[in-house]
Amino acid sequence: MTDGKHLFFTFAVALSSFIIYYFGLVPQYNRYLVACSVAFYLLFFVQIVISVFYWTVNIILKHRSVENLVNDSYCLKVLYDLYKNNGNALDLDNLNGKVISLLNAGLIHKVREIPLQFHSGFDEVDHQYSPYIITSLGKKYLIRKLESK
């Protein structure tokens, strides 16, 4: 019930049963239609309340996780380097967990999906690099973090 995919179906059933009752299209089933309408409207209301609560909690948790990412020194350095690059793409390792976390949080954006492969040493083998840029959300969090220092 919390994902909201049944919200439209519940609303449609409640509205259709109310319309059938209001216009008296099936008069011998009126009290069943009233009970059905009330039950589905209550279910619709409960689904809306649960969905709003669920969405609010997700927004708060996402904000906290983004704040934790920005407080990490490596992530802050990546954001600062991308910001300092003035909108030009910077190649970052696709397999780095912090880069993946920044990408999933929406703080950075991958410019090109096809990874570039550079091998500058033995420890660099099997690392894939792609160009990334900072997003407006990333700029906002970086500026907020730099101003608080």
Side-chain angles (χ1 to χ4, degrees):
M1 279 179 52
T2 60
D3 60 358
K5 64 182 174 183
H6 305 294
L7 201 60
F8 178 75
F9 174 74
T10 305
F11 177 72
V13 169
L15 184 65
S16 62
S17 62
F18 178 75
I19 289 172
I20 290 171
Y21 166 73
Y22 184 74
F23 290 113
L25 299 175
V26 188
Q28 65 267 25
Y29 298 109
N30 274 343
R31 68 184 162 151
Y32 299 117
L33 288 173
V34 170
C36 181
S37 293
V38 169
F40 275 101
Y41 273 120
L42 287 174
L43 183 62
F44 178 69
F45 178 71
V46 167
Q47 277 185 328
I48 286 178
V49 169
I50 290 172
S51 295
V52 167
F53 178 74
Y54 182 71
W55 293 327
T56 306
V57 167
N58 276 343
I59 289 171
I60 291 169
L61 290 178
K62 183 178 179 185
H63 178 70
R64 285 185 184 164
S65 69
V66 169
E67 284 290 334
N68 289 339
L69 274 175
V70 174
N71 288 333
D72 183 44
S73 61
Y74 181 79
C75 292
L76 188 62
K77 181 185 177 314
V78 167
L79 288 175
Y80 182 73
D81 289 342
L82 288 172
Y83 181 73
K84 194 171 63 174
N85 218 15
N86 291 329
N88 296 323
L90 188 66
D91 292 332
L92 299 173
D93 188 6
N94 289 339
L95 302 177
N96 189 327
K98 305 284 179 150
V99 173
I100 293 171
S101 297
L102 287 170
L103 182 65
N104 289 339
L107 298 176
I108 61 175
H109 175 71
K110 190 184 293 189
V111 176
R112 185 178 29 199
E113 287 298 321
I114 301 172
L116 303 172
Q117 293 202 3
F118 297 115
H119 302 293
S120 61
F122 185 70
D123 58 340
E124 295 287 323
V125 175
D126 291 332
H127 284 251
Q128 297 177 349
Y129 293 85
S130 291
Y132 290 89
I133 58 172
I134 190 168
T135 63
S136 60
L137 182 66
K139 287 179 186 176
K140 182 180 95 171
Y141 277 100
L142 177 67
I143 291 170
R144 185 184 304 162
K145 180 69 177 174
L146 292 177
E147 286 176 351
S148 69
K149 284 187 174 183

